[in-house]
Amino acid sequence: MNEFPRVRRFLGVAAVIAVGAVFLIASLPDGTKLLAARENWSWLAGPGEASAALKAALPPAGTLLRWVGYAVAAYVVALVLLSWRHRRAGLAGWGLGVLVASTFALHGVAWFTVVVRFLGRMVAAVLGFLFLVLGWVVKLLHTYLIKPLIGLFGPLLGVWAWIGVLVVVVAVLWVAYEARARWARRSARPLVLVALVMGVVWLISETPAWFWRAAASIGGAVLGWLFAAFVCSMVGKLFLDQIRSGAHAGSGRRGVVMGAIAVGTTLAVLMLVGNVYGAYALYPSSVSDWVRATLLSDAPKLDATVSTVVIGLCVVGVLRNLGVMRPEPSLAEFRPSLLFTIIGVVAAGGVAALDKDTSD
C-alpha cells in the first residue's frame, strides 16, 4: 500500500520533466537539430523537424502580437467586471497593480543589476588587495617555514615529507595547547586546518592524470543529465503553474494576484526576447546592448503564442468568478507560484539565449 504514493510521485515528476522537455524542443528547433546531428542523439531528429514545422506554421509575429494586445485588453476588462460585480474595488486595484509591477519587474532587475555590479567592483577591489596581502604572507610562510621543514624530512620520507611536517605542527600545537598557551588556543584549529588543506592539495597534485580524466568524464556525464532533468523539470513546472494560475485567476485576492503575476511575467519575457513595444529603451544602455546581442529574436512567434494562451486562460479564470466567487487559493498554493515565476523568468531567458545562439 505504501508503494503507490511513491509510484504516483515518481510518475508525476517524470510527467513534469516530459512536459518541460517538449516545451524546450518546441522552443529550440535549431538547437534540437544540432543536437540530433551528434552521435547517439539521432532520435531527436524527428522532434526537431516537428518543432521547426510548428514554428513555420505559426501566424506572423505581428499578428500574434495583436492577439496578445487583445488578450491583455480582455483581461483588464474582466478584472474591472469582476470588481464591479462583487463590489470589491480592491480586486481591480490589486490585479492592475501587480500586473504593471510584474510586467516591468525585469526592468527593475536590470537597473538593480547595474547598481550591484558597480558596488561589486568596489568590493572586489578591496578584497583583491586583502588577498594580495594574504598571498604575500602565505608565500613568506612557505619560503621560510614550510619549505625548510619539508627539507628536513626529505631524506627520510621522500615525497611524503609533508606528513612529517604535519606531525610536527600538530605535536607543537598540542603541547602548547596542553601548556595553556593563549596563542595556541586561538590559532591551533586554523593552523591545523591550513596544514590539512595543504596536504590534501599536494595529494591531489600527485594523483595520476588518468584518474582525474576518468572521474571528470563520468562525473560530467552524470551532472549533465541531472542538470538537463532539472532544467526540464523547472520549465515544466513553470508551464503547469501558469495553467494553474489561470484556473485560480479571479478567485479572491490571492487568485487575482496569481493571475496578474502570470500575465505580467509572460509579457515581461515577451518584451525581453523580442523588444516588444520598444522595451529595450527602458533598460540601462549596457543591459540593452547585452540583451540585443544575446537574447533578441527577430520573430518571437512561439513566445507570443504562449503569452496569448496564458493570458487567455487567465481571462477565462476571472470570468468564471463573475457569478459566484470561488474560494481563493491557499498560501501553500500561492507561494510556489511566486517561486516558479522567478525561476521561470530565468529559464526563459536561458532558452532565448540558446535559441538565438543556435539560430545564428
Side-chain angles (χ1 to χ4, degrees):
M1 294 295 291
N2 294 331
E3 295 297 327
F4 287 107
R6 296 179 181 178
V7 171
R8 285 202 302 267
R9 197 177 305 117
F10 173 79
L11 292 177
V13 172
V16 170
I17 293 176
V19 170
V22 171
F23 188 85
L24 286 175
I25 290 174
S27 302
L28 302 169
D30 297 306
T32 304
K33 287 182 179 179
L34 290 176
L35 187 59
R38 293 188 175 186
E39 186 178 0
N40 299 325
W41 289 92
S42 58
W43 56 274
L44 280 175
E49 294 294 337
S51 175
L54 172 64
K55 187 174 182 180
L58 290 174
T63 301
L64 290 170
L65 290 178
R66 282 199 301 273
W67 292 356
V68 170
Y70 297 151
V72 172
Y75 176 74
V76 173
V77 172
L79 274 182
V80 174
L81 288 175
L82 180 72
S83 183
W84 171 80
R85 168 64 179 82
H86 295 285
R87 302 295 190 270
R88 295 175 60 179
L91 293 178
W94 273 98
L96 296 177
V98 173
L99 173 62
V100 173
S102 55
T103 299
F104 294 97
L106 290 179
H107 291 78
V109 171
W111 284 98
F112 177 76
T113 302
V114 171
V115 173
V116 169
R117 184 181 179 186
F118 172 75
L119 296 177
R121 287 181 175 179
M122 295 182 61
V123 173
V126 175
L127 291 178
F129 174 75
L130 294 178
F131 279 116
L132 180 64
V133 174
L134 181 61
W136 180 71
V137 173
V138 171
K139 185 177 180 181
L140 287 178
L141 291 174
H142 179 267
T143 303
Y144 296 104
L145 180 61
I146 304 299
K147 194 174 181 180
L149 284 175
I150 293 178
L152 291 176
F153 288 93
L156 180 63
L157 300 177
V159 296
W160 300 96
W162 66 273
I163 296 180
V165 176
L166 181 61
V167 171
V168 170
V169 171
V170 172
V172 171
L173 291 175
W174 179 257
V175 171
Y177 185 81
E178 288 296 319
R180 298 296 189 268
R182 291 185 178 179
W183 67 269
R185 289 186 176 184
R186 296 177 181 177
S187 59
R189 291 182 179 178
L191 289 176
V192 169
L193 180 61
V194 170
L196 289 174
V197 169
M198 293 181 65
V200 170
V201 171
W202 179 88
L203 184 62
I204 292 175
S205 66
E206 292 297 320
T207 303
W210 63 264
F211 174 83
W212 295 118
R213 287 196 296 268
S217 177
I218 297 173
V222 173
L223 290 177
W225 279 105
L226 289 177
F227 179 74
F230 172 77
V231 172
C232 291
S233 175
M234 289 299 101
V235 173
K237 286 181 178 179
L238 169 67
F239 183 75
L240 296 175
D241 183 73
Q242 287 181 324
I243 295 177
R244 185 169 60 88
S245 297
H248 285 301
S251 301
R253 187 174 67 179
R254 288 189 193 130
V256 167
V257 171
M258 286 177 64
I261 290 175
V263 174
T265 51
T266 192
L267 290 175
V269 171
L270 184 59
M271 291 191 298
L272 176 68
V273 301
N275 191 23
V276 178
Y277 312 122
Y280 288 4
L282 301 178
Y283 286 129
S285 58
S286 58
V287 177
S288 178
D289 294 339
W290 179 80
V291 294
R292 285 181 187 278
T294 309
L295 304 177
L296 181 59
S297 172
D298 294 332
K301 297 198 293 184
L302 183 62
D303 300 280
T305 302
V306 172
S307 296
T308 304
V309 172
V310 170
I311 300 171
L313 290 174
C314 291
V315 171
V316 174
V318 172
L319 294 177
R320 288 175 62 218
N321 291 273
L322 283 180
V324 177
M325 179 69 70
R326 288 172 170 78
E328 66 179 0
S330 63
L331 284 174
E333 294 175 301
F334 180 71
R335 284 192 292 264
S337 180
L338 295 178
L339 175 63
F340 290 134
T341 296
I342 296 172
I343 296 176
V345 169
V346 176
V351 170
L354 285 173
D355 185 36
K356 180 176 178 60
D357 185 55
T358 54
S359 297
D360 293 341

